Amino acid sequence: MSKYGFGTTVDMAFDDAIEHVTLTLQREGFGILSDIDVAGAMKKKLNQDMPPYRILGACNPPLAHRALESEPSIGLLLPCNVVVRQDGAGMVHVEFMDPNAVLELVNKPEITALASEVRQKLEKVLQAL
């Protein structure tokens, strides 16, 4: 999809997609640390309407702990962002930050291995959608 992410289009309503993505992430050990309503913020701050757009900050605590032990500043690159957005045609897209692309910035073998592990888990979530 891009150098920094991958995803799919789902055949469900936006709110159902949020719920389904959240539950599917939980099955792979991820919790949601943050939930940013981009469309709501654009309306409130700029009085601009846009289709629903949410950024979910997903975190797998054991994997995040390993990353932080190896590289304390890695919090700058966490959590894994998952975007659920609706386009102008009403289609709902689910997109995942590619941990391999982001965490390669660290340039440490143990972080590279960890990024691959996280990517595999996110791919399982994608396949379950």
Side-chain angles (χ1 to χ4, degrees), residues 48-60:
Q48 295 291 316
D49 291 315
M50 67 179 286
Y53 192 114
R54 301 248 300 269
I55 303 171
L56 306 176
C59 177
N60 181 303

Side-chain angles (χ1 to χ4, degrees), residues 32-51:
I32 303 301
L33 294 179
S34 61
D35 183 347
I36 302 167
D37 179 358
V38 176
M42 294 299 152
K43 181 64 176 175
K44 182 178 179 180
K45 301 291 185 181
L46 302 174
N47 198 29
Q48 295 291 316
D49 291 315
M50 67 179 286

Side-chain angles (χ1 to χ4, degrees), residues 5-44:
F6 56 97
T8 191
T9 302
V10 295
D11 186 20
M12 60 184 75
F14 182 82
D15 289 337
D16 293 339
I18 292 287
E19 183 177 338
H20 189 63
V21 168
T22 300
L23 291 173
T24 307
L25 283 164
Q26 286 174 350
R27 283 189 227 125
E28 287 300 319
F30 292 88
I32 303 301
L33 294 179
S34 61
D35 183 347
I36 302 167
D37 179 358
V38 176
M42 294 299 152
K43 181 64 176 175
K44 182 178 179 180

Side-chain angles (χ1 to χ4, degrees), residues 1 3 12 16 30 67 78 90-91 101-102 106 121:
M1 190 165 137
K3 289 183 180 183
M12 60 184 75
D16 293 339
F30 292 88
L78 301 178
M91 300 298 297
V102 175
V106 178
K121 288 184 173 296

Side-chain angles (χ1 to χ4, degrees), residues 34 36 55-58 78-83 95-98 122:
S34 61
I36 302 167
I55 303 171
L56 306 176
L78 301 178
C80 293
N81 285 329
V82 179
V83 169
E95 300 164 334
F96 300 85
M97 174 192 82
D98 185 348
L122 293 176

Side-chain angles (χ1 to χ4, degrees), residues 50-90:
M50 67 179 286
Y53 192 114
R54 301 248 300 269
I55 303 171
L56 306 176
C59 177
N60 181 303
L63 298 178
H65 184 260
R66 282 176 38 205
L68 289 163
E69 283 188 325
S70 175
E71 182 66 38
S73 295
I74 204 163
L76 293 166
L77 304 175
L78 301 178
C80 293
N81 285 329
V82 179
V83 169
V84 181
R85 64 180 178 86
Q86 186 172 312
D87 64 23

